[in-house]
Amino acid sequence: MKLLIVDDEKLTREGLCSSIDWESLGITEVAGADDGLNGIAEAKKNMPDIVLSDVRMPRMDGIRMCAELQKMNPELCIIFMSGYSDKEYLKSAIRLKAVRYVEKPIEEEEVAEAVREAVRLVSSALVNKEKEQKSAQRETEILAEKLCQPGRVTEEELKRFVQTNPEKPCAFSLLIKIYHQSALSSTVFSTLNGIVSASAQRHYMKCIGCDRQNAVYVFHIYQISGYTDAEKKALGAEISEELMKHTVHFHIVFGKNTEGLMNVYGSYSSAVIELQNCFFSERQEVRVYSSADSDSIFPAIPEDEDEKSFRKALLGGEKDILSDLIEKKRKNILSGRGLLPNQVRDLYYRSFQAVSETESLLGMKGISNAAGDSNWGVVSSCESIFELDEQLKNRVGCFLSMLEKRSETHAAVAMIKEYIANSYTNELLSIKDISEHVLFSTSYVCTLFKNETGQTLNQYITDYRIEKAKELLLDHRNRIGDISKEVGYADSNYFGKIFKKQVGMTPSEFREKTGF
């Protein structure tokens, strides 16, 4: 809080400045002046909250000075000092609602107490003023919200909150769509309201605003006799320049002109229509509603002629073809236009589903989206066709990457099976031998093989040996003891136990059952 000390006695000014602990009283800045005229000049420069002033001074006395200062700031708190107990001065002090009248010679504690009281009054007034401002702001926000729909505001209600010049009846709505608004501030509407209000004021216009769903902020501009599309774009460029300082992504959209603020809902509706077209444009763009852009109403969603080609390319892992088809999809939609945003989302959803269905067809484990969302969850969260395009490219990129790894995995498993087929007769065959052959760690080989085949490596080796043993048992000339060694078991008794466990009968019983 700021304090101004005005006294023609230098010793009094400097003594007060140095002898009192102002900070403990809540005073952060102390300035001084030697008479009423210099006091006004100093007040204009520093805008004090409290004035501690002598009454009698040369050129301009304290009473006249404080009367002028209260015109500048009605909330100003005044404390008078004087060595004269003149009734007229006391009356003037009362008229100016002075907090205290301190008699000279000055007592520091008396001044400190007077300032403490002034600080309390100023703080209380600031709190009340802030509450009033918030209440008034909320009321205008509610009014701006109501003006977005016909018949929700009466003439009397409008006049109660805003004053309009009947000679300047034109009004229009301005929408600002903010993307990733956390980059702006925690009070986005307050920031935008300040930017738009300042721009409107520079152009001798007024505005009231509110925030609506999906980070769309509405401002109704009025007090104008007319405004061309070119002027709207110039105003939008001015606002855009300010928004770019906050490194946010946005669209600025202007609705058509309407006859007066009471009918501004028509401008708001046209701006909403134009905002849909932002789905097809890059960010940081200023758009003005044109009736020519709204001719296509609810067109049918076209059949995607390239869907079969897209699915075929997915199956073949054809990266270049997929890239070309995605690019073609975006260009076709942008060149044809006429579609609504959700219809475009539906077209991209089909492509996302094609990826998921191809994964299932190939027996691949599903590729999760970035945040684990469903395909429609990802698609519906996109704010533009460019985001949809980027998301589809990422999704297909992940699919191709997984497909490539899957191919590598299949090659590694094939190498393992081939090595086992060539080495199963070796009774010392181990997982370590296999891992060294395929150049992977033993733990990775075991995990990879189990994930891809559903069997452990040891189980596969056992099954492979037993199957080979069955083939040999079909030939009566092969002795069971020799068969045991041929399939990698040096101990024929151990081979017999393993065979019975796997097949449910001994090698001899198997031979008898098969007719030998």
Side-chain angles (χ1 to χ4, degrees):
M1 205 167 288
K2 298 177 183 179
L3 171 71
L4 173 62
I5 300 174
V6 186
D7 197 304
D8 58 330
E9 294 178 9
K10 185 177 180 182
L11 287 175
T12 301
R13 291 197 313 274
E14 293 180 350
L16 286 170
C17 284
S18 60
S19 62
I20 296 177
D21 183 2
W22 297 111
E23 191 173 341
S24 68
L25 299 176
I27 301 298
T28 55
E29 292 183 35
V30 179
D34 58 6
D35 62 31
L37 289 176
N38 287 332
I40 290 174
E42 189 66 34
K44 286 180 178 178
K45 185 166 56 176
N46 291 318
M47 299 300 292
D49 302 289
I50 303 167
V51 173
L52 178 60
S53 173
D54 192 9
V55 172
R56 291 195 178 188
M57 294 180 292
R59 298 205 298 169
M60 180 184 282
D61 63 38
I63 301 294
R64 285 174 58 200
M65 177 196 72
C66 287
E68 290 299 316
L69 292 182
Q70 280 195 333
K71 291 177 184 177
M72 295 164 46
N73 178 14
E75 307 298 328
L76 185 68
C77 260
I78 301 166
I79 303 169
F80 282 122
M81 303 178 292
S82 178
Y84 304 89
S85 55
D86 190 311
K87 288 184 179 180
E88 290 304 316
Y89 283 114
L90 288 172
K91 288 178 182 178
S92 298
I94 292 169
R95 282 197 298 271
L96 291 172
K97 297 181 181 177
V99 176
R100 291 282 183 90
Y101 190 94
V102 181
E103 290 188 11
K104 290 185 177 181
I106 299 297
E107 297 238 355
E108 291 176 9
E109 184 53 41
E110 188 178 359
V111 171
E113 182 59 34
V115 171
R116 194 177 288 113
E117 173 68 8
V119 167
R120 187 187 67 78
L121 290 173
V122 171
S123 298
S124 178
L126 287 173
V127 169
N128 290 334
K129 188 176 181 180
E130 187 178 349
K131 286 181 180 177
E132 289 173 5
Q133 288 175 339
K134 284 184 178 178
S135 177
Q137 177 61 40
R138 183 57 190 148
E139 286 177 342
T140 57
E141 287 177 33
I142 292 171
L143 177 65
E145 170 74 23
K146 287 181 176 180
L147 285 169
C148 292
Q149 298 176 29
R152 294 192 63 196
V153 178
T154 64
E155 289 278 3
E156 291 73 21
E157 188 178 6
L158 189 63
K159 288 176 182 177
R160 198 162 61 243
F161 291 107
V162 298
Q163 293 181 346
T164 59
N165 186 340
E167 295 179 0
K168 296 182 176 181
C170 181
F172 61 82
S173 294
L174 159 65
L175 307 187
I176 300 178
K177 168 76 172 179
I178 298 291
Y179 304 90
H180 314 300
Q181 61 181 24
S182 58
L184 187 59
S185 76
S186 57
T187 54
V188 184
F189 174 71
S190 178
T191 304
L192 291 177
N193 195 34
I195 292 172
V196 177
S197 296
S199 293
Q201 193 171 7
R202 281 193 291 272
H203 293 267
Y204 307 102
M205 301 182 295
K206 294 182 180 179
C207 80
I208 57 171
C210 63
D211 61 313
R212 304 212 84 188
Q213 295 178 345
N214 302 320
V216 176
Y217 301 87
V218 183
F219 299 91
H220 303 306
I221 312 290
Y222 62 101
Q223 203 72 342
I224 47 178
S225 55
Y227 220 59
T228 65
D229 288 356
E231 287 173 318
K232 288 177 181 177
K233 285 188 176 180
L235 176 62
E238 189 177 303
I239 296 169
S240 177
E241 187 176 345
E242 287 298 314
L243 286 178
M244 285 181 182
K245 294 177 183 177
H246 296 273
T247 62
V248 293
H249 296 295
F250 59 87
H251 277 115
I252 297 174
V253 175
F254 290 88
K256 64 184 180 181
N257 291 347
T258 59
E259 196 69 24
L261 198 53
M262 277 291 290
N263 298 313
V264 80
Y265 60 84
S267 182
Y268 169 76
S269 298
S270 65
V272 169
I273 292 171
E274 191 60 40
L275 187 61
Q276 289 192 343
N277 291 325
C278 291
F279 188 85
F280 302 95
S281 64
E282 297 285 4
R283 303 283 166 78
Q284 320 320 57
E285 187 181 33
V286 177
R287 300 181 66 93
V288 178
Y289 171 78
S290 170
S291 58
D293 294 334
S294 59
D295 291 338
S296 300
I297 300 176
F298 304 114
I301 301 176
E303 290 297 324
D304 192 342
E305 298 175 358
D306 295 316
E307 188 175 347
K308 289 183 180 179
S309 299
F310 184 75
R311 288 176 178 271
K312 183 179 178 182
L314 284 171
L315 281 169
E318 298 171 284
K319 183 177 180 180
D320 291 340
I321 294 176
L322 288 168
S323 179
D324 289 343
L325 288 171
I326 293 172
E327 184 74 8
K328 183 181 177 183
K329 176 190 283 287
R330 179 174 59 81
K331 286 182 177 179
N332 284 347
I333 292 172
L334 286 174
S335 62
R337 293 294 292 276
L339 292 176
L340 297 174
N342 270 348
Q343 291 176 313
V344 175
R345 289 188 179 99
D346 189 76
L347 286 173
Y348 274 86
Y349 172 71
R350 295 177 188 178
S351 296
F352 272 79
Q353 283 295 93
V355 177
S356 295
E357 289 166 12
T358 304
E359 289 170 9
S360 178
L361 187 64
L362 294 175
M364 295 168 64
K365 292 182 179 179
I367 303 168
S368 62
N369 292 305
D373 294 334
S374 64
N375 286 333
W376 183 248
V378 173
V379 168
S380 61
S381 68
C382 291
E383 300 280 3
S384 73
I385 187 174
F386 302 100
E387 278 190 46
L388 285 168
D389 181 71
E390 190 64 28
Q391 287 284 2
L392 182 57
K393 286 176 180 176
N394 291 339
R395 186 77 165 82
V396 170
C398 288
F399 169 82
L400 292 173
S401 177
M402 290 290 287
L403 191 63
E404 187 177 346
K405 288 179 182 178
R406 182 172 181 267
S407 299
E408 292 173 357
T409 298
H410 282 192
V413 170
M415 286 176 66
I416 291 169
K417 288 182 176 180
E418 183 183 15
Y419 183 76
I420 291 170
N422 294 329
S423 308
Y424 74 95
T425 59
N426 179 6
E427 62 180 281
L428 299 177
L429 175 64
S430 67
I431 294 175
K432 184 181 179 183
D433 296 333
I434 296 169
S435 64
E436 287 176 354
H437 177 72
V438 295
L439 304 177
F440 291 140
S441 68
T442 54
S443 60
Y444 180 76
V445 163
C446 290
T447 302
L448 173 69
F449 196 87
K450 178 71 184 310
N451 287 343
E452 291 301 312
T453 66
Q455 280 186 302
T456 65
L457 203 47
N458 282 327
Q459 184 62 53
Y460 179 81
I461 293 171
T462 299
D463 287 351
Y464 191 88
R465 282 171 166 167
I466 296 303
E467 287 303 314
K468 288 296 180 182
K470 285 180 181 178
E471 292 176 13
L472 293 171
L473 284 168
L474 294 177
D475 189 339
H476 185 70
R477 292 169 297 177
N478 295 325
R479 295 175 59 250
I480 292 177
D482 294 334
I483 291 172
S484 171
K485 292 177 182 178
E486 283 192 47
V487 295
Y489 294 102
D491 186 339
S492 58
N493 289 329
Y494 179 67
F495 165 68
K497 289 179 181 179
I498 295 295
F499 190 94
K500 185 172 183 179
K501 183 179 179 181
Q502 290 290 108
V503 183
M505 60 186 80
T506 65
S508 299
E509 289 171 340
F510 176 81
R511 176 172 278 176
E512 289 174 8
K513 188 175 180 180
T514 53
F516 292 93

